[in-house]
Amino acid sequence: MTATATTVGDLFAVIERRPDLLVDADLTVEKDGTAFAVRGYDDLVAVDLPSFGAALELWRDRPVERTDAAAALAAVGLTAEIRVRGAPVVRLGSDAVPSRLANRLGLGPLELLADGLLLALTPQRG
């Protein structure tokens, strides 16, 4: 007999009984004319955006609340890392260690990566 989830709580209960997921992906996604890469490496899903502005736009238009996303990722053993031009700026999910800065800013269970934030804000050289 297969249980059907009717609430978010039911869904998490079903997910928690399953083994951890492993992801193998190499995608290019386009949203509102902005292309970005999504790559999966076992238990890490990296979303690499072309600019800090694109990251903020994706943040504003997120389809689910960050606490729900973090909980769902952690429940299946996955970590999502948001990168800007290759520099990791935010991590959430299984391996994320929520930072005090994120908590102070009211961002929830996110790990802000200060070094990556600085690199993301640095103009491109070349």
Side-chain angles (χ1 to χ4, degrees):
M1 182 170 116
T2 303
T4 303
T6 57
T7 67
V8 172
D10 292 343
L11 178 61
F12 286 140
V14 170
I15 289 172
E16 286 175 350
R17 290 191 298 265
R18 304 218 186 267
D20 288 350
L21 293 177
L22 297 177
V23 176
D24 182 17
D26 187 2
L27 307 168
T28 300
V29 178
E30 187 173 318
K31 181 183 181 311
D32 298 332
T34 300
F36 55 93
V38 178
R39 294 196 174 43
Y41 311 96
D42 294 330
D43 61 351
L44 174 70
V45 177
V47 178
D48 197 355
L49 297 149
S51 68
F52 200 64
L56 290 175
E57 187 66 29
L58 183 64
W59 179 262
R60 279 193 288 268
D61 292 343
R62 65 190 177 275
V64 295
E65 289 299 315
R66 59 193 158 267
T67 52
D68 291 344
L73 287 164
V76 295
L78 292 177
T79 301
E81 188 172 85
I82 307 302
R83 300 174 180 176
V84 174
R85 296 186 336 257
V89 295
V90 173
R91 194 175 292 137
L92 68 151
S94 185
D95 289 337
V97 178
S99 62
R100 285 186 282 195
L101 178 59
N103 287 331
R104 273 194 186 167
L105 295 173
L107 299 177
L110 300 176
E111 181 178 358
L112 292 177
L113 305 166
D115 293 346
L117 285 167
L118 291 173
L119 284 172
L121 292 170
T122 303
Q124 287 182 326
R125 296 183 187 164

